[in-house]
Amino acid sequence: MDGGKADDADINFRVLISALLALACGHMLSTLLRTIPAVSLDVMAADFRTAPQTLASLTSIYHFAFAASQIPVGAAMDRFGVRPVSLSLLAGTIVGALASGLATGPASFMFGQLLLGIATSGMLMCPMTLAAKQMSAARFGLWSGIILSVGNIGMLLSASPLAFVVEHFGWRAGFWISAGFGAAVALAVFLLVPKQPAEHADPSSPLSQMAKVLRIGLSRPLRGLIALALVSLAASLVLRGLWGGPWLMEIKALGRVEAGNVLGLFTLALIAGPALMGFLDRSFGHRREVLAATHSLAALLLALAAAGAPNYPLSELLGVHAVPAQIDAALFVLMGIAISTQPLLFGMTRQMAGAQNAGKALSAINLAFFLGAALMQSATGVVATIFGLPAVLLFMAAALIVGVIVFLMYT
């Protein structure tokens, strides 16, 4: 009898893992789509006859739409369940990818990005919500890292493979391929994610739920976590998804595919990092100290990369025109590993908010992640226009340090 129960438990766990991996592929698609501009911004800008900095600022609409959609998507998952919400979002993602690929100018491209921001807004929270409801706190910490790592594979796809596609087939092909990938993920979700009754845990209005999420996010226990979340994911997404390519091609004179190779190494670090941090957290602990140390290290590495630009201190000290791109590759890899501590933020949030408020607190952190990315992307577009690309890296480094200081003050 006990053996039968164990077998049933094993089967149920395997079903859960299959469902989580299928949903995590949706997050992979999301990271692929949001990082396409990193290796195609220049050709897109030339096609649209607009400045790359202007187009870069316009792409921030993706992150604003993504952040604004967190609360209604969370409410929909409570009301309708993870599976139907995920399938609806994937359908919207396919439409958004097609709209972006058909864009004829900045306005129509911005509309495509708006659609994608809304449609991909729940791609991370779908597997996270399923894991939070079905797993213990200890196991959730591990699987939140694995979900983030699987999702970050999308950034690997948008490195050298996308650079090759852009070189040979044009930037629009990246969006056609993403639409096809979205259809495949939708099929996997349809087949692998079980139908479960919707949980009406909070029957209040969406406006009331939004107020609760904001109230929890601004509460003193979570204030420091929100501050760090605002800059943590933003630094890696904005560097990998937008400025990494222009930095390597314009400042370090690499070709598109060579820049894609460097961004691919950076992405490997972002893939391995969250899962590694999830494993280490189970045995090491000390989340607060680890988060502060790793984000401070990431800020230092960004500042060192900026200092290696032409006529900047590190280049002058070494007596070279610019520090070789191989050094940038090493700095980016180390930075990717250091900043991949988002699972620890999710773990601290669940621990500090309590089980009864875990869902709303996780939504608040996720909202901060992507609102921060939108704000940083917009701000760095202005910084790049006025002060240049080295100043962009210094700005991100300073933002990380401010986030760490506020985090330490409130935790």
Side-chain angles (χ1 to χ4, degrees):
M1 191 73 175
D2 291 339
K5 289 182 179 180
D7 289 342
D8 289 343
D10 289 341
I11 292 170
N12 290 336
F13 185 67
R14 286 198 296 271
V15 169
L16 175 60
I17 297 309
S18 298
L20 287 176
L21 291 176
L23 292 167
C25 285
H27 181 42
M28 186 194 306
L29 174 62
S30 173
T31 59
L32 166 62
L33 284 163
R34 81 167 64 101
T35 51
I36 284 178
V39 293
S40 57
L41 188 67
D42 57 334
V43 290
M44 290 166 63
D47 200 5
F48 295 155
R49 294 181 176 85
T50 188
Q53 292 85 351
T54 302
L55 193 60
S57 296
L58 291 177
T59 59
S60 65
I61 190 68
Y62 178 103
H63 296 291
F64 279 117
F66 194 110
S69 302
Q70 290 300 310
I71 309 305
V73 166
M77 280 192 282
D78 281 339
R79 202 170 294 274
F80 304 111
V82 170
R83 185 175 187 267
V85 170
S86 177
L87 289 171
S88 300
L89 293 175
L90 284 164
T93 300
I94 295 169
V95 173
L98 294 174
S100 295
L102 292 170
T104 56
S108 54
F109 181 72
M110 186 171 69
F111 175 71
Q113 292 291 290
L114 175 67
L115 291 178
L116 285 174
I118 295 170
T120 61
S121 61
M123 296 302 186
L124 175 59
M125 288 313 293
C126 282
M128 286 290 187
T129 300
L130 188 63
K133 291 180 177 180
Q134 301 290 330
M135 291 181 166
S136 65
R139 188 171 272 175
F140 172 76
L142 170 63
W143 273 92
S144 64
I146 293 174
I147 289 166
L148 285 168
S149 291
V150 171
N152 284 345
I153 293 174
M155 290 189 282
L156 184 63
L157 297 176
S158 66
S160 299
L162 180 65
F164 177 85
V165 169
V166 172
E167 284 281 324
H168 292 83
F169 305 104
W171 64 268
R172 298 177 191 275
F175 288 104
W176 309 142
I177 292 170
S178 297
F181 182 30
V185 175
L187 179 62
V189 169
F190 181 80
L191 295 175
L192 297 175
V193 178
K195 295 179 181 178
Q196 293 177 321
E199 297 182 17
H200 300 272
D202 190 351
S204 59
S205 68
L207 187 62
S208 174
Q209 292 178 31
M210 181 179 293
K212 289 179 183 178
V213 170
L214 294 175
R215 190 160 55 246
I216 291 172
L218 293 174
S219 65
R220 185 173 181 85
L222 262 67
R223 219 169 282 170
L225 300 177
I226 292 291
L228 194 58
L230 281 169
V231 295
S232 175
L233 193 63
S236 59
L237 286 184
V238 172
L239 180 61
R240 173 59 189 85
L242 186 61
W243 296 116
W247 171 265
L248 294 167
M249 289 187 282
E250 296 175 21
I251 304 298
K252 296 306 173 81
L254 293 184
R256 191 180 312 278
V257 174
E258 291 175 307
N261 291 336
V262 174
L263 293 177
L265 292 174
F266 180 32
T267 306
L268 287 174
L270 292 174
I271 291 170
L276 176 64
M277 294 300 175
F279 280 112
L280 291 178
D281 181 50
R282 296 191 71 177
S283 57
F284 185 69
H286 301 287
R287 289 170 173 168
R288 179 176 180 268
E289 292 77 9
V290 170
L291 281 163
T294 53
H295 284 76
S296 298
L297 175 59
L300 174 62
L301 294 166
L302 280 171
L304 284 174
N311 302 317
Y312 270 67
L314 188 56
S315 298
E316 298 283 341
L317 180 66
L318 297 176
V320 295
H321 172 68
V323 170
Q326 293 90 332
I327 302 298
D328 292 77
L331 293 174
F332 284 3
V333 167
L334 291 174
M335 184 250 183
I337 294 173
I339 208 167
S340 293
T341 45
Q342 285 86 23
L344 276 63
L345 275 173
F346 281 123
M348 281 189 74
T349 300
R350 179 165 175 170
Q351 182 181 2
M352 296 173 74
Q356 70 277 14
N357 290 316
K360 293 183 179 64
L362 288 172
S363 293
I365 292 294
N366 208 41
L367 174 62
F369 276 144
F370 292 99
L371 178 61
L375 293 172
M376 187 173 287
Q377 188 155 322
S378 298
T380 54
V382 176
V383 171
T385 301
I386 300 174
F387 301 107
L389 291 179
V392 168
L393 301 190
L394 292 173
F395 177 85
M396 290 194 290
L400 284 171
I401 292 299
V402 171
V404 169
I405 291 171
V406 177
F407 170 74
L408 291 174
M409 287 172 56
Y410 281 100
T411 54

